[in-house]
Each structure stands twice: as structure tokens, then as C-alpha cells.
């Protein structure tokens, strides 16, 4: 899949690419090697052996940009899923400059809840992002937040407020509306799509504030 992604990026030449779950450091280096036109941004955090990109986040930029830092989420409580505690999730900030637009781009991956009571952990992480967004907007920055949210668009809108446009184009866990949904690590039990109060969770979304000069279109490729 990573090789296919490289081919897609070469073909489309997007100005920015935001990736999640790129935990293997060798995959990070493959992206750096195969896409030399892009500057590669990560959290710069690894394990003792240097083999892991612990946040899983990678942002690629073909336009002028500089790193804005990585902010790790608050420590997860005991009883939370082990795989979530092993990866040090957070949000990766990149300051992107394009003609006419200076953008604070936030790439993130929130807690993947398996039970309804775990959704509070993802919402707590979303709150941490929302507080950072508010600070950026106060200093006049255009802000976009994108990534793997594991929440519903309604939940995102509730935290980001009515000033934010939340893209509703991302795929969801609902196999009735998303042909790309598969059984396995992301899907779990057959009733995953109905046992969460907010309905099917959205995987990949973008939040963009209404004062932004940018618009949103999307397509699955």
C-alpha cells in the first residue's frame, strides 16, 4: 500500500500529504527516499533502537513549511487499551505557506475506542486539540485539523464550534455506506457500527474554520 501511495503522490503532486499509522521507521525512510521533492515532518520521537515512529504521524510538504512541534496527548489511564498506550499519540503541527495562505496544519490520530465508555478518552484528546486551535485562531492563523479521528462528525462539530466546517466526506466504519470498510483490526464485532451512541464513527475527516480562504472537495482514490 505504501508503494501505491508513493505512486499516487508522484502522479497528483499534492502540496501537502498527512499520514497516520506510519509507525515503522523504515516506512518513514522509504517515503523520504522515494519522494525527494517533499520535506518530511514527524514527531522526531522513536524507541531506544530508532526503529519506530512512535506517534505514527507523518506530514509531507511540497510548499514552504516549517515544523510547529509535536504535542503528545495526556497519559492514558490504567485500563485503557494496551496498543493505544504503546503508541504515543498526539498531534503534529506544521506551518504551511502557500500563495495567499498561511496555514497551521494539525495532523492527528485519536484513541480508537472499542467500547462506548472509551469514547471519553478520544473526546479528551479532541479537547486538547481544540484548545490549541483556539490559541492559533486568536493570533490570526488559518487552521485546518485533519487525520484519523475515530469519532462522528457531530462530535467534532460539538468541540470545534459552529465556526468550523467539518468535512463529511471521509469514510466511516459503516459497511453499508463504505465499501472500503473491512473486518479485522479496525472493524471488530459485527455490531460495531450501531453500538456507539453517535452512530457510525468517521475515520478520516478535516475541520476548517469559516474565516479560511480555502474550500473543501474530496474524493476516494
Amino acid at each position: 500500500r505504501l508503494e501505491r501511495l508513493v505512486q499516487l503522490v508522484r502522479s497528483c503532486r499534492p502540496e501537502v500529504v498527512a499520514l497516520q499509522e506510519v509507525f515503522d521507521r523504515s516506512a518513514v525512510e522509504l517515503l523520504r527516499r522515494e519522494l525527494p521533492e517533499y520535506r518530511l515532518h514527524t514527531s522526531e520521537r522513536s524507541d531506544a533502537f530508532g526503529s519506530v515512529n512512535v506517534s505514527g504521524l507523518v506530514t509531507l510538504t511540497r510548499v514552504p513549511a516549517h515544523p510547529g512541534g509535536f504535542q503528545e496527548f495526556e497519559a492514558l489511564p490504567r485500563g485503557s487499551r494496551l496498543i493505544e498506550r504503546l503508541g504515543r499519540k498526539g498531534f503534529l503541527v506544521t506551518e504551511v505557506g502557500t500563495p495567499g495562505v498561511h496555514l497551521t496544519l494539525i495532523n492527528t490520530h485519536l484513541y480508537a475506542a472499542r467500547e462506548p465508555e472509551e469514547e471519553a478518552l478520544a473526546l479528551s484528546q479532541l479537547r486538547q486539540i481544540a484548545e490549541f486551535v483556539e490559541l492559533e485562531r486568536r493570533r490570526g492563523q488559518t487552521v485546518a485539523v485533519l487525520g484519523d479521528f475515530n469519532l462522528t462528525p457531530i462530535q467534532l462539530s460539538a468541540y470545534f464550534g459552529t465556526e468550523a466546517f467539518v468535512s463529511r466526506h471521509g469514510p466511516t466504519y459503516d459497511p453499508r455506506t463504505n465499501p472500503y470498510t473491512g473486518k479485522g483490526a479496525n472493524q471488530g464485532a459485527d455490531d460495531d457500527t450501531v453500538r456507539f451512541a453517535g452512530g457510525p464513527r468517521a475515520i478520516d475527516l478535516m475541520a476548517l474554520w469559516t474565516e479560511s480562504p480555502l474550500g473543501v472537495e474530496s474524493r476516494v482514490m
Side-chain angles (χ1 to χ4, degrees):
R1 289 187 300 173
L2 195 59
E3 292 174 353
R4 292 177 65 186
L5 173 68
V6 167
Q7 294 171 5
L8 182 65
V9 171
R10 287 173 175 168
S11 172
C12 297
R13 298 187 74 241
E15 294 176 335
V16 175
V17 182
L19 303 174
Q20 301 83 42
E21 297 190 353
V22 188
F23 292 108
D24 191 328
R25 182 65 68 173
S26 65
V28 175
E29 294 308 315
L30 183 147
L31 290 168
R32 194 191 308 273
R33 182 176 66 252
E34 297 296 325
L35 296 170
E37 187 180 4
Y38 288 83
R39 181 173 179 179
L40 190 144
H41 308 265
T42 72
S43 65
E44 301 296 338
R45 301 188 186 186
S46 186
D47 60 358
F49 303 100
S51 61
V52 177
N53 174 32
V54 292
S55 73
L57 302 174
V58 175
T59 300
L60 302 168
T61 57
R62 191 173 57 82
V63 290
H66 65 271
F70 172 74
Q71 299 204 26
E72 190 172 336
F73 292 135
E74 295 172 359
L76 292 169
R78 295 183 63 181
S80 54
R81 299 175 62 216
L82 176 60
I83 193 169
E84 293 288 329
R85 297 201 305 273
L86 288 175
R88 297 210 293 273
K89 288 184 175 180
F91 57 97
L92 181 65
V93 181
T94 308
E95 304 285 348
V96 180
T98 63
V101 179
H102 291 278
L103 180 68
T104 298
L105 187 132
I106 300 171
N107 182 4
T108 192
H109 183 189
L110 303 186
Y111 189 99
R114 282 287 181 263
E115 303 294 337
E117 55 268 23
E118 289 185 298
E119 285 194 329
L121 299 174
L123 289 171
S124 173
Q125 294 172 345
L126 183 61
R127 173 187 52 78
Q128 295 169 58
I129 295 174
E131 291 172 353
F132 180 83
V133 167
E134 182 60 25
L135 292 175
E136 288 296 290
R137 293 181 65 219
R138 284 180 183 175
R139 71 184 187 97
Q141 285 292 101
T142 299
V143 184
V145 185
L146 64 165
D148 188 338
F149 288 96
N150 290 309
L151 292 169
T152 68
I154 292 175
Q155 289 169 315
L156 265 66
S157 297
Y159 268 71
F160 287 150
T162 56
E163 308 89 8
F165 168 79
V166 177
S167 164
R168 298 174 183 268
H169 312 291
T172 71
Y173 280 130
D174 190 345
R176 295 166 294 184
T177 58
N178 175 19
Y180 302 96
T181 294
K183 303 297 179 183
N186 279 344
Q187 184 64 10
D190 289 340
D191 63 346
D192 265 4
T193 59
V194 296
R195 61 180 176 161
F196 289 91
R201 291 175 297 166
I203 304 173
D204 301 312
L205 292 173
M206 181 172 75
L208 188 69
W209 274 257
T210 51
E211 68 267 21
S212 166
L214 303 173
V216 177
E217 293 181 3
S218 73
R219 55 185 168 135
V220 177
M221 305 186 72

